[in-house]
Amino acid sequence: MMGLDGRDGSVAGAHILVVDDDPRLRRLLQRYLTEHGFRISAASSAAEARQVLGFMQPDAMVLDVTMPGENGLALTRALRQEGQDLPILLLTARGEPEDRITGLEAGADDYLGKPFEPRELLLRLKAHLRRFAPPAPSDNLRVVRLGGLEFDPARGLLSGPEGSVHLTGGEVALLSALARRPNEVLARDEIARLLDMEEIGERAVDVQVTRLRRRIEPDPREPRFLQTVRGKGYVLKPGM
């Protein structure tokens, strides 16, 4: 079980599943992340990753895109359809913005192009894991009501008549950012900054909004709570 270590805000003891068909990179990441306090499981393919997921639930996944057989994008889509809500960070040699958008559309929380600095991967992992940790006491964001649904930002939990589901790290970050300023229009570039998506661009914000609407809106094509303000940005209008 992961927890905040109380010293530098890093997430200590989190269990990370690293999936990559390159044995050298798997060993490098396993050694580096272990040295920084994480517990690591490794898999060389999507099929092997599914076997691991069959008997344990990691706190996050680092997943290569270009693997033989089922690739990382297909596995990400499948895991989201199956209800897996852990943070997923994709790795690929194709680091263009359009490729990153494709990764986000598949359901990933983040996208890192190869070659990359291990420290950047470490920092991104910590950022996504913190989104699933309880907020600091100074964060007074309360439960947000969206019709028949309730969003608990402290647990990243969306509850309704049909049960509860943990939102992904990206969904929690977006909904929390909007909920802190209800009924206020936030520009796409501001949301990108709040979500640390400036490098990818404003289209990544649109992708995250589309994903979140599927969670919270009775009809995502006619959004009631997360509305678009043409030429300006997005606004969250909570309530019954």
Side-chain angles (χ1 to χ4, degrees):
M1 191 73 177
M2 71 181 183
L4 294 177
D5 68 7
R7 295 189 301 277
D8 63 357
S10 63
V11 182
H15 195 156
I16 312 299
L17 175 58
V18 176
V19 187
D20 198 300
D21 63 327
D22 182 344
R24 184 190 63 83
L25 182 57
R26 285 201 312 275
R27 289 193 297 269
L28 184 152
L29 291 179
Q30 189 161 10
R31 182 174 65 251
Y32 183 81
L33 294 175
T34 298
E35 289 173 353
H36 285 81
F38 293 100
R39 294 177 293 124
I40 306 299
S41 294
S44 61
S45 66
E48 193 173 327
R50 289 184 180 279
Q51 292 178 350
V52 174
L53 292 168
F55 63 82
M56 56 87 70
Q57 178 66 39
D59 293 304
M61 181 183 296
V62 177
L63 176 60
D64 184 34
V65 169
T66 54
M67 297 184 295
E70 185 180 14
N71 65 29
L73 292 175
L75 179 58
T76 298
R77 290 191 189 96
L79 292 176
R80 293 309 190 209
Q81 290 171 359
E82 294 164 12
Q84 289 279 359
D85 56 10
L86 75 168
I88 297 177
L89 192 154
L90 294 178
L91 301 177
T92 182
R94 299 176 300 182
E96 294 301 315
E98 282 301 311
D99 296 317
R100 301 185 185 196
I101 292 296
T102 301
L104 293 173
E105 289 175 334
D109 293 284
D110 209 341
Y111 205 98
L112 197 57
K114 297 179 180 178
F116 58 89
E117 287 292 332
R119 178 159 176 77
E120 182 178 2
L121 172 66
L122 176 68
L123 293 174
R124 288 175 182 252
L125 270 176
K126 287 180 177 180
H128 290 296
L129 288 165
R130 280 196 295 267
R131 290 172 180 166
F132 280 80
S138 59
D139 189 341
N140 60 357
L141 182 59
R142 299 179 180 179
V143 170
V144 179
R145 181 171 291 279
L146 302 163
L149 301 175
E150 287 187 348
F151 169 58
D152 183 350
R155 295 186 292 166
L157 196 66
L158 189 68
S159 302
E162 298 181 2
S164 300
V165 61
H166 281 280
L167 300 181
T168 67
E171 291 165 348
V172 171
L174 174 58
L175 187 49
S176 295
L178 292 166
R180 286 187 179 92
R181 294 159 67 178
N183 302 305
E184 179 181 342
V185 179
L186 297 185
R188 287 176 173 83
D189 61 349
E190 183 175 7
I191 296 173
R193 178 180 58 79
L194 292 171
L195 271 58
D196 195 24
M197 286 183 172
E198 293 171 289
E199 182 182 350
I200 308 176
E202 295 177 17
R203 187 180 164 196
V205 173
D206 298 334
V207 171
Q208 291 284 26
V209 166
T210 298
R211 285 172 53 185
L212 183 57
R213 279 175 172 159
R214 295 192 191 111
R215 298 278 204 174
I216 67 173
E217 297 287 357
D219 182 357
R221 295 169 299 180
E222 297 290 338
R224 172 184 167 193
F225 303 110
L226 207 178
Q227 298 182 7
T228 301
V229 179
R230 189 177 298 276
K232 293 185 178 180
Y234 295 104
V235 57
L236 184 71
K237 296 187 175 183
M240 292 298 296

